[in-house]
Amino acid sequence: MDRDEVDRALARLGEEHEAIETSLLALQDHAGRRLLEGAELTGVTKDRWASTEQAITLLWGYFDAYAAALTAARELRARRRWPNKDDLVELTDRLRGPSVTIASSAAHPSPSITGPAKLSERFTLEALVSRMNQLYARSLDMVVAADSVWSALPARIDLLAAELQRTRSLAHSVGVRPGEHPAGDDLESITHELSALRAQVVSDPLAFWTPAPVSSAPGGGRPDTDRYDRAARALEDVRREIEAVLAVRQDSEDRLIRLRDLLSRADRTLAEARVARGEVLAKIAASEVPAVSGPPTALQERLAMAAEYRRHARWHRLSPLLESLERDAEDELMRARESLTAVTAPLAVRAELRGRLDAYKAKVARHGMAEDPLLIERYDAARRMLWSAPCDLRAAEQAVLRYQQAAADVLVPRQAGPRDRTGRQGES
């Protein structure tokens, strides 16, 4: 190396010295490193921190050796303004050759399992900088990862724990307690999970760190929040259930009134169906009439239980009971209406036959055929069947069909007659 090359190399190495010193001091003052030093660590973090502490100690040892070698080179260069050949040879050896000797205890703090340990190891200044950069990147990666987890998760867990406490108080006010309601058991489980989660995050943050798949920068990755997210979702589900119970407390009286009205309408409809069944059995013959069930006593008992729950403010028990009662009461009213429809079906058939008979009679009268003897005979026969009790619907329907056929036979020739006459006149 000539003098200019030596000066440029010393300037570059001096800049690297300042940059490395700044980085090491920043690592020394990093909040994550201070927290790691003072924490009771466990698991992965404990093992990684033990290794990282050794790496940081080794870094400072390397840095001191690097600084000493740089100082010695600077002193050699400062002896003469114009260094002679021997000076340049020595400076070249110091700046480019393996001039830095590191004791084996510093270079390899852990016992080697690959063979006998070396007493010392020699580095060039460039190789030493490369080794320091590697150690620094690994150390900073570990510190940044732990600090990122501590910055992200404990505060969020504390906020969720505060929300959990508010939800527990609200649940207690509506009678949702562990052992008495599933939501109370869920709250207890979430409480234990958050306590365990926070303790583990504090003692072993790296267990909650997901490194980035490809990252060259230290600290590449993100905190693993899966357990926290599951607890948050579980608490949200419980909170919605508690809100539903609160809603029951606010509108339970109106819902009970509506339930009583539904069951009362179902009872009245069934009573009407029973009366209609008796009427059908008396008025209609040769027809199968379905039986009508009695009033829904089981629903009335459950309704009385719901009212009892409301009186004693047992909202957590009232909520699911009201929901099932509302479904069953609607089903009961629909069943009662279907029963009434099924029972009164023969009467509807008779009414339809009566209407059809009278409609055909009016049609015949409009065409001046009301006095036709066959039509009068068949009409009277059908009418006697439809207006007698009990009415044989099958026979009555056949009588109405015979009257319809007779009316059609009479009306069709009469309606076609004028056309025939018109046709004959046309031909003549």
Side-chain angles (χ1 to χ4, degrees):
M1 299 175 67
D2 59 25
R3 187 188 68 167
D4 291 338
E5 289 176 331
V6 167
D7 291 341
R8 284 195 298 270
L10 286 173
R12 178 177 54 80
L13 292 172
E15 292 173 356
E16 289 183 347
H17 175 272
E18 292 180 2
I20 294 171
E21 184 177 30
T22 300
S23 298
L24 289 177
L25 291 175
L27 178 62
Q28 195 72 13
D29 293 334
H30 198 286
R33 191 200 64 80
R34 293 198 300 269
L35 289 173
L36 285 165
E37 280 188 340
E40 294 289 336
L41 301 176
T42 60
V44 178
T45 308
K46 182 179 181 180
D47 297 337
R48 286 279 304 276
W49 176 237
S51 174
T52 301
E53 275 193 310
Q54 292 180 349
I56 293 174
T57 301
L58 185 58
L59 264 173
W60 282 107
Y62 283 162
F63 178 74
D64 290 342
Y66 179 86
L70 181 59
T71 300
R74 283 172 171 171
E75 290 175 351
L76 178 59
R77 174 63 183 88
R79 289 179 187 174
R80 298 179 181 85
R81 182 177 180 183
W82 301 97
N84 56 31
K85 182 179 180 180
D86 293 338
D87 292 339
L88 291 175
V89 169
E90 186 175 356
L91 283 168
T92 299
D93 181 62
R94 288 176 179 271
L95 296 178
R96 292 184 175 177
S99 59
V100 183
T101 302
I102 306 294
S104 177
S105 59
H108 301 283
S110 301
S112 175
I113 61 173
T114 59
K118 299 179 181 179
L119 295 178
S120 62
E121 189 173 358
R122 295 178 64 83
F123 295 92
T124 64
L125 289 175
E126 183 177 356
L128 190 57
V129 168
S130 177
R131 177 70 65 87
M132 285 191 288
N133 286 336
Q134 293 173 5
L135 288 174
Y136 175 78
R138 288 201 298 268
S139 301
L140 184 62
D141 183 74
M142 187 270 170
V143 170
V144 169
D147 187 55
S148 297
V149 173
W150 278 333
S151 299
L153 275 176
R156 295 172 68 181
I157 294 172
D158 290 342
L159 289 174
L160 190 61
E163 178 64 24
L164 172 65
Q165 188 58 38
R166 287 191 293 271
T167 304
R168 285 169 64 94
S169 300
L170 194 60
H172 188 79
S173 69
V174 293
V176 176
R177 298 179 177 85
E180 298 181 7
H181 192 279
D185 298 333
D186 291 341
L187 285 175
E188 197 73 10
S189 174
I190 295 170
T191 300
H192 292 320
E193 169 64 7
L194 286 183
S195 298
L197 179 61
R198 195 185 195 288
Q200 189 174 356
V201 166
V202 170
S203 66
D204 191 10
L206 293 187
F208 299 88
W209 180 253
T210 302
V214 179
S215 176
S216 58
R222 62 174 182 82
D224 181 0
T225 61
D226 286 349
R227 281 179 61 184
Y228 167 85
D229 293 337
R230 286 195 298 270
R233 287 193 297 268
L235 181 58
E236 178 63 19
D237 292 341
V238 173
R239 187 184 62 79
R240 282 198 296 266
E241 189 166 350
I242 300 302
E243 289 178 351
V245 174
L246 283 172
V248 169
R249 183 171 67 178
Q250 293 170 359
D251 61 8
S252 58
E253 181 60 25
D254 291 339
R255 293 172 71 180
L256 284 172
I257 291 174
R258 286 196 298 270
L259 277 170
R260 293 189 185 99
D261 178 63
L262 278 174
L263 293 180
S264 176
R265 287 157 59 190
D267 287 347
R268 291 196 301 270
T269 304
L270 287 175
E272 185 180 350
R274 285 190 291 273
V275 172
R277 186 173 188 272
E279 181 182 353
V280 170
L281 291 174
K283 295 181 178 181
I284 307 297
S287 177
E288 294 183 359
V289 184
V292 180
S293 63
T297 55
L299 288 179
Q300 293 290 351
E301 291 173 358
R302 290 165 62 194
L303 183 61
M305 184 184 299
E308 187 72 12
Y309 284 160
R310 185 180 185 279
R311 278 194 296 273
H312 292 87
R314 304 182 72 178
W315 311 112
H316 62 290
R317 293 187 180 276
L318 180 59
S319 176
L321 181 56
L322 281 179
E323 290 178 2
S324 63
L325 269 173
E326 286 167 343
R327 290 193 301 269
D328 295 344
E330 290 283 357
D331 293 343
E332 180 63 26
L333 179 57
M334 184 178 297
R335 186 181 65 83
R337 288 171 174 169
E338 291 172 350
S339 181
L340 178 60
T341 301
V343 164
T344 57
L347 293 177
V349 172
R350 188 184 68 172
E352 190 273 333
L353 290 174
R354 286 177 174 180
R356 197 193 315 170
L357 181 66
D358 289 342
Y360 268 89
K361 181 183 179 183
K363 185 175 181 180
V364 168
R366 285 197 303 273
H367 289 83
M369 302 297 295
E371 301 303 325
D372 186 276
L374 180 60
L375 291 180
I376 291 174
E377 178 189 351
R378 291 193 177 182
Y379 174 80
D380 289 340
R383 192 177 190 286
R384 279 194 304 273
M385 291 183 184
L386 287 173
W387 268 267
S388 64
C391 172
D392 188 337
L393 283 179
R394 293 186 182 89
E397 184 178 11
Q398 292 301 318
V400 171
L401 288 174
R402 284 195 297 271
Y403 178 73
Q404 287 180 234
Q405 184 62 46
D409 292 343
V410 171
L411 293 176
V412 170
R414 184 173 181 82
Q415 292 171 356
R419 290 196 298 272
D420 294 340
R421 288 195 295 272
T422 303
R424 287 194 296 271
Q425 291 171 0
E427 292 171 0
S428 61

